Amino acid sequence: MNIRPLSSALMLLSGLALTQQATAQDGGPERRRRYYDGNARPYYRGPIRFTLGGGVGLYSGDLTSGLGEQFVGPSFSAGLLYKVRPHWHVGGEASYVQLGAKDQLVERNLAFRGRNGSGVVLVRFEPFRDEAAFADPRRPAALVKPYIKAGVGFLLYSPKAYNGTMRPDDNTVFLPSERNDYPAMALVVPVGIGLTLRLTSQLNASIEGAYSFTTTDQLDDISPVSGRSSSDRNDGFGQVELKLEYAPWRR
């Protein structure tokens, strides 16, 4: 699988990590540039936070949008976050998620397994004030912070459809692919919500749920192209993950 599209979302921010490291090694906080919000309160940009997450992936498409037919698969992600001003972060993330489901129409007797990788750039908004975001904190840092996020990027998807009602195994006979260029590429737009718990000044833990809209109806290799489905609506998928956020150069 060509992994370059998956890493492209992170390359834009890789330079920020090196800049942040150099700044952290260049003397005390007084040498950092101060910025000011609309109320003239000073803040520093950064720090870089590395994120690592794991959880489950859930499919929504021609076969089902319900939980009862899901073959729940693993979901993993890694990325970067950078605070540009209080409440606002920008970042990038690479994800791997395995999807699968059986048909909600018993008479059709279809199922699939799909392996997918994505690379996205994203914006994260924290609606409540956290004094730790300012250079002149007036209260202790917030222990719990909700957030919302949205992004855009590319998805590489490689599904295999088959007849059956169980997860595939070594004896499963897969149906001919609807296209001959898997892994194929599509645009992906993830939106999500999360809740962050402050563990230390450098380490946070978050629980996050996200849904990704895509520009393909073949995330499951089931579409009108082969006559396996009469619906041409694009497929999507969800991810529920527990994430760690680590800021190695946090002051």
Side-chain angles (χ1 to χ4, degrees):
M1 178 181 292
N2 184 359
I3 64 172
R4 286 182 295 175
L6 306 184
S7 60
S8 61
L10 302 179
M11 291 177 62
L12 183 63
L13 294 173
S14 60
L16 288 174
L18 297 176
T19 301
Q20 183 74 18
Q21 183 180 22
T23 301
Q25 296 173 348
D26 189 29
E30 68 277 0
R31 298 196 180 188
R32 301 172 66 191
R33 179 177 176 182
R34 287 191 172 199
Y35 299 85
Y36 296 86
D37 68 3
N39 296 316
R41 290 198 62 185
Y43 66 91
Y44 300 118
R45 290 181 177 171
I48 286 284
R49 288 189 177 275
F50 294 89
T51 67
L52 186 66
V56 297
L58 301 167
Y59 152 86
S60 176
D62 298 87
L63 295 184
T64 184
S65 294
L67 295 176
E69 294 81 25
Q70 297 281 337
F71 298 150
V72 177
S75 173
F76 303 101
S77 64
L80 298 173
L81 281 174
Y82 184 78
K83 186 189 73 182
V84 292
R85 60 181 298 117
H87 304 288
W88 292 96
H89 295 71
V90 298
E93 189 169 70
S95 297
Y96 169 84
V97 57
Q98 181 172 303
L99 305 173
K102 63 180 180 180
D103 207 333
Q104 60 186 351
L105 301 178
V106 178
E107 63 276 11
R108 197 165 51 176
N109 193 37
L110 289 170
F112 89 102
R113 180 196 66 200
R115 293 169 175 165
N116 312 273
S118 67
V120 302
V121 291
L122 59 90
V123 175
R124 183 162 118 174
F125 175 66
E126 298 172 350
F128 300 127
R129 178 179 296 176
D130 179 8
E131 287 295 317
F134 296 97
D136 61 343
R138 299 169 184 173
R139 290 185 298 275
L143 293 180
V144 179
K145 295 186 293 182
Y147 65 86
I148 59 176
K149 75 168 192 178
V152 63
F154 294 96
L155 175 74
L156 287 178
Y157 60 100
S158 184
K160 292 184 177 181
Y162 58 96
N163 293 119
T165 59
M166 304 294 290
R167 291 178 182 269
D169 56 30
D170 293 339
N171 298 317
T172 299
V173 178
F174 294 102
L175 298 173
S177 298
E178 289 192 335
R179 52 194 298 172
N180 58 10
D181 62 345
Y182 291 132
M185 182 178 290
L187 290 176
V188 62
V189 178
V191 295
I193 60 174
L195 191 67
T196 297
L197 174 65
R198 177 186 174 94
L199 301 179
T200 71
S201 62
Q202 292 180 292
L203 184 64
N204 294 337
S206 299
I207 181 71
E208 180 181 288
Y211 184 84
S212 292
F213 300 91
T214 77
T215 58
T216 179
D217 184 32
Q218 294 177 311
L219 201 61
D220 47 17
D221 200 37
I222 295 169
S223 75
V225 169
S226 61
R228 296 171 187 165
S229 172
S230 59
S231 172
D232 60 358
R233 291 184 299 176
N234 291 337
D235 302 325
F237 61 95
Q239 293 167 273
V240 179
E241 291 189 346
L242 177 65
K243 294 185 173 183
L244 294 178
E245 304 172 4
Y246 179 59
W249 305 299
R250 180 68 183 256
R251 296 180 184 277

